Amino acid sequence: MANVVVVGSQWGDEGKGKIVDWLSNRADVVVRFQGGHNAGHTLVIDGETYKLSLLPSGIVRGGKLSVIGNGVVLNPWAFLDEVERIKAQGVRINAENLQISESASLILPVHSELDGIRENRADGIKIGTTKRGIGPAYEDKVARRAIRVCDLADPDNLLARVENLLHHHNALRQGLGQKPFDADELHKSLLEVAPKILPFMSPVWKTLDDAVRAEKRILFEGAQGAMLDIDHGTYPFVTSSNTVAGQAAAGAGMGPGALNFVLGITKAYTTRVGEGPFPTELTDDIGRRLGERGHEFGTVTGRQRRCGWFDACMVSQAIITGGISGIALTKLDVLDGLEEIKICTGYRLNGKIVRHLPAGITNQAGVEPIYETMPGWSGSTRGARSWAELPAEAVKYVRHVEELIGCPVAMVSTSPEREDVILMRDPFKA
């Protein structure tokens, strides 16, 4: 048996929800290891649609243990709202099937406010965040002033923790022309929410170690994508955590030896939400067609995604930095009916050809894609569950993508439905 890490290989929104759901049906434990409620997964099960942000995808399946790891930043109020919403859809959620790491840091109202203030700067400079306080919460974690889940169990010292946090934030708010945040008000809010959060608190690193010893299958569920990684992405237009597979170990409290197979979810074209470079972006009719056929709107924000051709250079870079073992190619059916399809195989930059996306912000914005053109297909790939059901040109496209990125295709997804998958390699049997 193998433990599987699922990560995005582009800028997020690659269709991880469906693939994670397909895999979670075969897993015993499902773990979220980074990010916060800025991430969104949409699952469609027997006609019922579930939209998850913080909850691991395994929560909608009976008999699974879901875990929120220490690498996640948790907004306790958003968490409780999501729990109630999913419960209303008939899903059982309690301390028996859901655990939260005792060392996970909290997202507080002061973080969300700061995020919004920064994104609405008078000079117009912004990162394109979801304004949910993710970045400021990670800042406090690194600066060692965060309030963590375990602090909710220590009411005698909680006020001192709040005052220490606001010592920094209120000085910052004053510089930004904002009123100071009231410590007593925040303290009171945390005391009120604590009894609802604490039943889920657990040393999840021990839970996961027990699962490994019992030879249970663990699925590590990532959020966002490799090119939004704080170290390896298109900085500064990135998220505030590491999104690559290595974070699954650190963000869950396990050693890297527990990560057996890394599945990179990879869209058959490319999308991006928010600001930042996008070498293969299409602003023409084809770009609009991809967005309409792919229903490219964010699960959490509802923002329309930017669309473009598949970027083999970017994905191959993500495969290296993320240690990806195989990819799940999603939304192949969105390309149905195109006369020709382009793939980016390199970039022109300052008169030279480069085969990777450079680190500097100026160079990232200045690259020009080099395309290879392939014939499209008139037949339909939607709902295919075997190679024999695909048009010959679609098979050639998949195989050529495989060659260009230097990584095998383990799965192909041909519709939003969970079982519409062509499986070449079962990650759990790697």
Side-chain angles (χ1 to χ4, degrees), residues 39-56:
H41 288 168
T42 300
L43 312 180
V44 181
I45 303 172
D46 298 328
E48 183 81 21
T49 299
Y50 302 92
K51 294 188 176 182
L52 306 178
S53 294
L54 273 169
L55 293 174

Side-chain angles (χ1 to χ4, degrees), residues 161-225:
R161 300 288 301 150
V162 168
E163 290 174 339
N164 180 62
L165 179 84
L166 293 183
H167 178 75
H168 166 80
H169 277 275
N170 282 339
L172 187 59
R173 289 171 68 89
Q174 183 179 7
L176 293 169
Q178 304 295 314
K179 294 180 180 178
F181 210 94
D182 186 80
D184 290 332
E185 179 184 336
L186 179 55
H187 180 235
K188 179 182 177 182
S189 297
L190 289 171
L191 289 176
E192 290 174 352
V193 80
K196 301 175 183 178
I197 299 295
L198 289 175
F200 298 101
M201 184 180 76
S202 176
V204 302
W205 59 270
K206 187 177 186 306
T207 299
L208 295 175
D209 181 63
D210 291 342
V212 170
R213 294 176 186 275
E215 296 186 346
K216 293 185 176 180
R217 292 177 171 180
I218 304 175
L219 177 63
F220 298 89
E221 175 184 4
Q224 291 95 27

